Amino acid sequence: MDGDIKSAIQKHHGGCPHDCPDTCSMVFHVQDKKLIKVQGNPDHPMTRGGLCVKLNDYEKRHYHPDRILYPMKRVGPKGEKKFERITWDEAFDSIVSKWQEIIDEHGPQAIMPNSYLGNQGLVHGLNGGDAFFARLGATVTERTFCGEGSCTAWLLTIGPTAGVDPESFIHSKFIIVWACNSVSTNLHHWHIIKEAQKQGAKVVVIDAYASRTAKEADWHVCPKPGTDGALAMAMMNVIIEEGLVDQDYVDNYTVGYPELAEKAKERTPEWASEITGIPAEDIIKLAREYATTQPSAIRIGVALEKSWGGSQAIRAVTALPALTGAWRHVGGGILQFPVWEHPYKFDVICRPDLIPEGTQVVNNLQLGRVLTGEQKLKVPIKSMMCWNTNPVTQATESEKILEGLKSEDLFLISAEHFISDTAAFADILLPASMGAEQEDIILSWGHLYLTYNEKCIDSPGECLPNNEIFRQLAKRLGFEEDNFKWNDTECLENYIDWDAPACDGIDLNYLKKYGYARLNVGTKDDRAPHKEGNFPTPSGKCEFRVVGAKNFVAGPFRQMYEGFQPGEDIPELPDYVASKETHEANPELAKKYPLNILAPKSHGFINSSYANIENKLKGQGEQFVLINPADAENRGVTEGQKVKVFNDRGSFEAAAKVTTDVNKGIVVATLGYWRQLNNGVVNSVSSNAFGDMGNSPTSHDCLVEVATI
Ligand SMILES: Nc1nc2c(c(=O)[nH]1)N[C@H]1C(S)=C(S)[C@@H](COP(=O)(O)OP(=O)(O)OC[C@H]3O[C@@H](n4cnc5c(=O)[nH]c(N)nc54)[C@H](O)[C@@H]3O)O[C@H]1N2
Ligand SMILES: Nc1nc2c(c(=O)[nH]1)N[C@H]1C(S)=C(S)[C@@H](COP(=O)(O)OP(=O)(O)OC[C@H]3O[C@@H](n4cnc5c(=O)[nH]c(N)nc54)[C@H](O)[C@@H]3O)O[C@H]1N2
Ligand code: SF4
Ligand SMILES: [Mo]
């Protein structure tokens, strides 16, 4: 972009690097080498000039007084945040020599990486870290925080397709937002849904409580948590029994309809009503309206997978648009993560080919068990390097992770912006660069644009970009592969398949000039990718039924995880699978812990990021728990009172908000608050159990009790 001479402010293209489907295109305002302001890019069809409450003063995060500016080493007991400044040379030398010692004694698998999408850049998010640890021969960390069960279900049913374009929702006449709190978590899609609503579309939100999004819907359908599979199966029942099936579409473009129809016969609205708590008339009405108002579009949220039967439910929901023929229309179908059609070269970015055969795999949701030795490993973990993630607040069984991190036997390296709850336990702290300080292309899992981020300021202090940290480590360890020699621009040249049809007319220069580029995958006004089937599945059709499939882990940013051994058989047909922590499934446990907790995302934070920043905390308010008046009264809990939320795994404190936004038996406490600033975190109570597919988390399949303190 051109510099603005009058004000001497330079404008540069940015991309929000946080783990959010919107991947906003931003404008960085730079004056005297400082980032003074950020704006949403007004030209971008989804960002439209607006950011969100988290990022509207992103420049302040860059200069926050608590930011880590220098490499440091621990000088006090673990977790007490007593650090002393060291040089980068000292930091790298101590890491490499400690690792060498560990490798000599235990082999490289005693070292494990731990990262997620805290930064979603191809270079500094997905980055050289994976390639680096693959080359080192370290333990492989399978990371299934977000969408991996959903992806497995999606791939089995319709394959790696982006599905309906989020922008095509403008043409939809009936929209279901299913377990997604778009107002908080996908704001720039919500604008489009609101516009469609203004043009006459009906917007239905299916959510287990009255979320911000549910409150803005034309109709809030409120199933009990983890019962969406029953709702979807009963919708099929109505659609089939009432002759609302698009038979021509089903005959030509689907597999397994006779078996599905047979199964759906048993799944009556009355049956589902018992399970979901939704009146049978409402289920019938929903199914009829959904099937007969075309184009109809479904947006599924990540939350849908987070119960034991979540992925089977997602298979059922994903089957609906093929049953009704919604795919025939622009603005008809279903949306999950459009990232499937982005031409990223994950094999080049992550270099799974470098992983030595037979390397052990651990899962990031099992971190507490891995570190405490409760999970027996071939080679126990002696060192962990953490970047782009904060497992103490975000992963399950937080108390066990803490126990593991306290061990003197674990050498923890943490590359961070702030001393997070995890970084607090580091032996070596590395200061990481932030948004405007590093060049990248930001992965998006919520739209069909490539987004460029220009390096336009220098990092404060001695912060280094993640990929530079890995380059330096690789150099010291003598790794010769190209990955570790490419500069950031060269990485971008190599990480994207610029020759792919989706990139027609787009190259790095184009991106540098315009900041973003729409992939060549049709326009919002003409895209109907499955009008005539063309599903990227083995049969080329929508597979209602799959035969002989075994559980596998698919990720939104990886086609498939290396090292994962095919698991249990996957049932041939989608169906309702009951949650495990409920009154019905576990009455003994429910006697002790009668309340089902939901721990979704906070409006004012992005996962645990920003939960340490004063104005964001003020906007979001202190950790709260929503509780129904009847449940509150039974426990002598009053509005605003401090309570303890607990089960056998742990506890956290929260201020009670007594409200009918939640039904009796359910409590809601949003995610992200820091343990340093609060007593316990929501993941103190969450279970490490995997869901039915893709080793997904089951954070909403969880029983607790609430008591006054
Ligand atoms: N403000 C903000 N935005 C974010 C994030 C953030 O932390 N804060 N995080 C980002 C990330 S990493 C992700 S994955 C996305 C996730 O965004 P979403 O997919 O929206 O996920 P959640 O906020 O966890 O949950 C969405 C809704 O699902 C409901 N829900 C929970 N369980 C059930 C159930 O069993 N059935 C039904 N029908 N509803 C249920 C919850 O009540 C909640 O209102 O958001 C991204 N955007
Ligand atoms: N109970 C419950 N638990 C959940 C969920 C839930 O719904 N309920 N949601 C799950 C989901 S969907 C997700 S995606 C995960 C997210 O969990 P995490 O991926 O752990 O997300 P964050 O808490 O944002 O942690 C990201 C960290 O990376 C750091 N970071 C950001 N950019 C950079 C960078 O460029 N370099 C370095 N070195 N560090 C950087 C940030 O400062 C921050 O501390 O949480 C999961 N946990
Ligand atoms: S967090 Fe999401 S909505 Fe906010 S600026 Fe970043 S991409 Fe946009
Ligand atoms: Mo996520």
Side-chain angles (χ1 to χ4, degrees):
M1 254 185 231
D2 295 332
D4 180 341
I5 294 156
K6 264 183 280 170
S7 63
I9 293 171
Q10 305 288 323
K11 293 183 183 174
H12 302 265
H13 292 299
C16 175
H18 287 291
D19 187 357
C20 170
D22 296 27
T23 307
C24 287
S25 171
M26 307 200 290
V27 184
F28 291 139
H29 295 237
V30 176
Q31 194 170 35
D32 299 329
K33 300 184 176 171
K34 284 225 149 184
L35 183 66
I36 56 160
K37 185 171 140 181
V38 292
Q39 255 183 331
N41 186 338
D43 303 331
H44 192 280
M46 288 197 74
T47 311
R48 299 178 185 188
L51 300 174
C52 62
V53 289
K54 292 129 7 214
L55 267 281
N56 54 12
D57 55 359
Y58 189 38
E59 71 284 356
K60 295 210 178 91
R61 185 173 173 86
H62 287 69
Y63 302 114
H64 195 281
D66 293 345
R67 192 167 162 194
I68 307 170
L69 297 178
Y70 306 100
M72 291 193 277
K73 70 172 182 198
R74 175 171 69 88
V75 290
K78 292 225 176 192
E80 288 200 358
K81 300 203 294 182
K82 293 208 175 82
F83 296 105
E84 199 175 87
R85 186 173 164 184
I86 53 175
T87 65
W88 271 107
D89 270 338
E90 282 173 276
F92 286 131
D93 287 346
S94 57
I95 294 168
V96 168
S97 70
K98 183 72 188 173
W99 279 355
Q100 214 63 70
E101 234 174 72
I102 292 173
I103 292 169
D104 289 347
E105 199 173 331
H106 308 278
Q109 292 180 81
I111 301 166
M112 78 173 268
N114 198 354
S115 72
Y116 204 66
L117 294 176
N119 178 324
Q120 295 200 131
L122 297 184
V123 181
H124 303 293
L126 303 176
N127 77 39
D130 276 12
F132 173 84
F133 284 102
R135 173 68 178 78
L136 188 68
T139 285
V140 170
T141 308
E142 175 186 273
R143 293 155 293 178
T144 58
F145 259 155
C146 180
E148 287 72 19
S150 174
C151 289
T152 303
W154 183 266
L155 292 192
L156 284 173
T157 314
I158 56 177
T161 167
V164 60
D165 180 345
E167 286 180 78
S168 298
F169 275 60
I170 193 65
H171 300 296
S172 311
K173 293 282 170 257
F174 194 86
I175 295 172
I176 301 182
V177 179
W178 203 321
C180 188
N181 184 16
S182 310
V183 170
S184 300
T185 63
N186 196 187
L187 182 64
H188 297 87
H189 188 224
W190 185 247
H191 292 324
I192 297 169
I193 296 177
K194 283 303 266 189
E195 252 177 75
Q197 193 182 31
K198 275 199 203 113
Q199 293 176 20
K202 181 161 181 174
V203 177
V204 181
V205 171
I206 305 179
D207 198 297
Y209 89 107
S211 66
R212 282 178 192 250
T213 311
K215 285 181 180 170
E216 292 206 26
D218 295 307
W219 185 15
H220 171 206
V221 175
C222 188
K224 289 184 192 161
T227 64
D228 302 85
L231 175 59
M233 291 306 291
M235 286 173 71
M236 282 184 199
N237 172 289
V238 177
I239 291 166
I240 295 169
E241 298 301 313
E242 297 196 0
L244 304 176
V245 170
D246 181 336
Q247 202 58 51
D248 179 66
Y249 193 91
V250 164
D251 290 346
N252 286 301
Y253 309 127
T254 72
V255 173
Y257 176 70
E259 293 86 352
L260 182 72
E262 196 55 36
K263 167 73 70 191
K265 251 194 198 136
E266 308 154 17
R267 304 305 187 218
T268 62
E270 293 71 28
W271 164 85
S273 177
E274 281 282 304
I275 294 167
T276 59
I278 305 166
E281 318 76 91
D282 284 358
I283 299 176
I284 296 168
K285 182 173 160 215
L286 176 64
R288 282 185 190 151
E289 289 184 359
Y290 167 72
T292 57
T293 321
Q294 296 298 345
S296 63
I298 301 174
R299 199 298 178 247
I300 53 168
V302 171
L304 201 48
E305 73 172 7
K306 290 184 163 65
S307 313
W308 163 242
S311 299
Q312 272 291 72
I314 292 170
R315 274 181 81 195
V317 175
T318 308
L320 291 171
L323 214 52
T324 59
W327 287 117
R328 289 188 190 276
H329 313 279
V330 176
I334 181 165
L335 167 68
Q336 183 226 24
F337 306 140
V339 70
W340 298 112
E341 287 180 38
H342 285 242
Y344 309 134
K345 288 160 96 173
F346 292 113
D347 284 1
V348 177
I349 300 173
C350 306
R351 294 298 304 268
D353 58 301
L354 295 177
I355 299 172
E357 224 181 293
T359 300
Q360 69 181 7
V361 178
V362 298
N363 183 288
N364 72 334
L365 298 173
Q366 308 288 328
L367 183 64
R369 293 180 185 222
V370 165
L371 296 183
T372 54
E374 191 175 326
Q375 182 180 334
K376 293 280 168 262
L377 293 174
K378 199 170 61 179
V379 185
I381 302 303
K382 300 289 173 194
S383 175
M384 176 165 80
M385 176 154 175
C386 242
W387 73 105
N388 297 347
T389 187
N390 181 15
V392 170
T393 67
Q394 302 299 112
T396 53
E397 295 192 328
S398 185
E399 306 304 314
K400 285 195 181 144
I401 298 176
L402 277 186
E403 196 189 317
L405 291 180
K406 281 180 190 152
S407 162
E408 282 300 327
D409 210 23
L410 180 80
F411 179 63
L412 177 69
I413 302 139
S414 185
E416 253 298 354
H417 295 150
F418 295 96
I419 304 180
S420 70
D421 286 343
T422 309
F425 289 84
D427 294 285
I428 301 284
L429 262 184
L430 304 177
S433 295
M434 207 177 276
E437 300 155 16
Q438 48 197 4
E439 184 186 20
D440 219 329
I441 287 176
I442 316 294
L443 173 142
S444 170
W445 46 279
H447 58 55
L448 290 164
Y449 295 84
L450 294 178
T451 311
Y452 181 71
N453 186 81
E454 187 182 342
K455 173 188 178 340
C456 56
I457 53 168
D458 288 330
S459 292
E462 294 179 358
C463 300
L464 287 182
N466 287 341
N467 210 35
E468 181 58 22
I469 295 174
F470 290 113
R471 267 191 294 258
Q472 298 267 359
L473 284 169
K475 198 168 151 196
R476 279 178 159 75
L477 288 160
F479 297 170
E480 289 293 329
E481 286 73 8
D482 290 344
N483 286 63
F484 311 118
K485 295 189 174 151
W486 291 328
N487 63 30
D488 294 346
T489 309
E490 287 165 338
C491 284
L492 293 177
E493 281 158 3
N494 286 286
Y495 284 0
I496 289 186
D497 184 1
W498 297 105
D499 296 328
C503 283
D504 206 17
I506 310 168
D507 61 14
L508 200 49
N509 287 331
Y510 179 100
L511 275 179
K512 286 183 179 178
K513 187 158 173 209
Y514 297 103
Y516 66 91
R518 162 102 190 169
L519 291 170
N520 214 345
V521 289
T523 74
K524 73 175 195 315
D525 302 322
D526 66 18
R527 190 182 143 94
H530 307 302
K531 197 178 175 150
E532 294 171 349
N534 285 322
F535 292 98
T537 54
S539 63
K541 299 182 178 189
C542 169
E543 305 204 343
F544 294 145
R545 178 176 179 239
V546 290
V547 179
K550 303 262 185 215
N551 193 7
F552 63 98
V553 179
F557 57 98
R558 289 267 193 102
Q559 293 286 321
M560 211 172 301
Y561 277 87
E562 311 75 31
F564 182 78
Q565 299 300 315
E568 301 284 304
D569 291 348
I570 285 177
E572 289 189 5
L573 294 165
D575 199 1
Y576 165 60
V577 178
S579 287
K580 289 200 165 166
E581 290 200 12
T582 58
H583 289 259
E584 296 76 25
N586 196 339
E588 275 308 300
L589 189 71
K591 246 188 250 159
K592 249 168 108 185
Y593 304 117
L595 302 169
N596 185 167
I597 188 170
L598 301 176
K601 312 296 187 279
S602 293
H603 183 75
F605 312 143
I606 182 93
N607 297 309
S608 73
S609 302
Y610 296 91
N612 61 322
I613 310 261
E614 309 72 18
N615 64 337
K616 307 295 168 185
L617 253 173
K618 202 162 162 228
Q620 167 67 23
E622 63 180 326
Q623 175 84 66
F624 59 81
V625 60
L626 307 183
I627 183 164
N628 182 273
D631 290 325
E633 201 185 322
N634 284 343
R635 292 162 178 80
V637 170
T638 54
E639 176 67 21
Q641 196 174 2
K642 259 268 156 106
V643 295
K644 183 170 142 179
V645 181
F646 62 102
N647 60 18
D648 288 340
R649 298 179 198 108
S651 68
F652 65 94
E653 289 180 12
K657 279 192 188 171
V658 181
T659 168
T660 50
D661 284 352
V662 289
N663 288 334
K664 198 165 172 302
I666 297 168
V667 291
V668 175
T670 64
L671 175 76
Y673 292 89
W674 286 25
R675 182 180 284 272
Q676 294 168 45
L677 306 172
N678 205 56
N679 220 341
V681 292
V682 291
N683 278 311
S684 300
V685 297
S686 63
S687 151
N688 81 324
F690 291 139
D692 54 344
M693 288 178 213
N695 290 351
S696 62
T698 52
S699 34
H700 299 162
D701 188 345
C702 180
L703 286 172
V704 295
E705 179 54 299
V706 170
T708 54
I709 301 176

